[in-house]
Amino acid sequence: MNRIQQKLQENKKLLSIYFTAGYPQIDDTVTIIEKLQENGVDMIEIGLPFSDPLADGPVIQESSTKALNNGMTTKKLFEQIQNIRQTVDIPLVIMGYFNPMLQYGMEAFCAKCASIGIDGLIIPDLPVDVYDREYKAIFEKYNLSNIFLITPQTSDERIRYIDSVSDAFIYMVSSAAVTGAKGSFGEIQQQYFERVNGLKLKNPQIVGFGISNKITFEQATTYAKGAIIGSAFINMITKDGVKGIDNFVKKVLNG
């Protein structure tokens, strides 16, 4: 059992934060991870910046471009977090696109993640059937969870297939749009949350895209195990820097 699976067993709604490695400054990565843990975040998604991030909205795209310009690479990220488990014990997930991982070598990438203490990967452009056929055995070998995204347009049949090959949680995208913060969720999203909840899947769901504050966190977690905040956190850190983390997390959790 890895740290994600252990965390999902806790009797609470989980808050996960996404940030782009190497942003706003190249050496902020470890500081951000440590500060998020200090402030009670349950899980962290470390974004591996990519030049063509199709699923990301303008805020995360811009942070990726800046991080790449800062000099962030896969190798650099691994160097930065080489000793992260000396200070951090919450689950850590790398979110990135398939091409850089493939260039690194998929088994080599997974082996490196396992040696550092990464618990899972989110790869938006890796189709579930390709993963199931070609890569699932590698992930299992290194005790890494692969986390798949579903959207309101994903059929029940596809969701059940994703559930069958998953072993942690399912990333429930709140809308078909790209990432971005919203003030609240509408009726269509609520119906989607209810539909997925009604499927009684074996893996819990964590909602992402559009979570920005206590209201959207509570709406998203009515039917789901937790929620992920990305764009709103990056907006904050762009404006306030690392020193704004304490206040940001407190506002989400406590209002």
Side-chain angles (χ1 to χ4, degrees):
M1 185 178 288
N2 64 29
R3 293 177 195 87
I4 302 171
Q5 293 156 342
Q6 290 170 350
K7 179 62 71 173
L8 290 166
Q9 292 184 348
E10 293 182 12
N11 186 26
K12 61 177 293 197
K13 299 296 187 180
L14 304 181
L15 172 61
S16 181
I17 297 283
Y18 168 94
F19 78 97
T20 303
Y23 181 84
Q25 305 300 326
I26 185 73
D27 292 323
D28 284 339
T29 307
V30 170
T31 306
I32 291 171
I33 293 170
E34 291 176 344
K35 291 282 282 182
L36 288 170
Q37 175 173 271
E38 280 171 31
N39 283 279
V41 168
D42 296 291
M43 184 160 47
I44 299 171
E45 287 178 24
I46 305 164
L48 183 59
F50 183 52
S51 55
D52 191 22
L54 299 174
D56 297 322
V59 172
I60 292 177
Q61 283 193 22
E62 203 169 308
S63 70
S64 282
T65 301
K66 177 81 192 307
L68 290 170
N69 290 339
N70 286 345
M72 181 51 69
T73 62
T74 303
K75 183 171 178 287
K76 181 72 173 172
L77 173 60
F78 283 147
E79 287 170 0
Q80 287 182 342
I81 60 175
Q82 181 70 43
N83 300 311
I84 197 70
R85 287 303 174 194
Q86 292 178 11
T87 54
V88 173
D89 56 18
I90 62 174
L92 298 175
V93 175
I94 289 180
M95 184 169 186
Y97 289 83
F98 193 40
N99 192 46
M101 298 180 192
L102 208 54
Q103 287 179 352
Y104 194 93
M106 206 60 209
E107 178 147 9
F109 190 92
C110 289
K112 189 67 175 174
C113 285
S115 72
I116 287 170
I118 297 298
D119 304 292
L121 299 178
I122 300 172
I123 313 169
D125 56 342
L126 173 59
V128 62
D129 44 349
V130 175
Y131 164 77
D132 192 17
R133 190 172 62 245
E134 298 181 30
Y135 300 105
K136 188 166 183 277
I138 296 173
F139 277 70
E140 288 173 346
K141 178 178 174 181
Y142 294 102
N143 196 27
L144 288 172
S145 294
N146 196 25
I147 293 135
F148 291 97
L149 283 69
I150 62 171
T151 74
Q153 280 64 48
T154 309
S155 69
D156 288 1
E157 181 186 14
R158 188 77 170 172
I159 292 171
R160 290 191 190 283
Y161 176 43
I162 286 170
D163 188 44
S164 74
V165 301
S166 299
D167 65 0
F169 66 89
I170 293 171
Y171 189 132
M172 190 159 65
V173 176
S174 64
S175 72
V178 295
T179 56
K182 295 178 177 61
S184 64
F185 288 120
E187 191 179 330
I188 290 171
Q189 273 122 354
Q190 296 287 4
Q191 288 171 354
Y192 160 59
F193 296 158
E194 289 174 27
R195 171 170 76 91
V196 175
N197 184 59
L199 294 175
K200 304 296 181 199
L201 304 175
K202 71 180 174 73
N203 292 282
Q205 300 86 57
I206 294 184
V207 178
F209 291 39
I211 321 294
S212 63
N213 52 27
K214 186 170 168 56
I215 293 169
T216 42
F217 178 76
E218 288 182 345
Q219 286 180 327
T221 56
T222 301
Y223 296 104
K225 177 64 179 173
I228 300 158
I229 299 181
S231 296
F233 180 76
I234 289 172
N235 276 331
M236 180 283 296
I237 215 162
T238 302
K239 187 162 71 72
D240 299 335
V242 173
K243 67 180 187 300
I245 291 175
D246 304 32
N247 193 43
F248 181 88
V249 177
K250 283 190 183 77
K251 276 189 171 174
V252 174
L253 293 176
N254 306 315

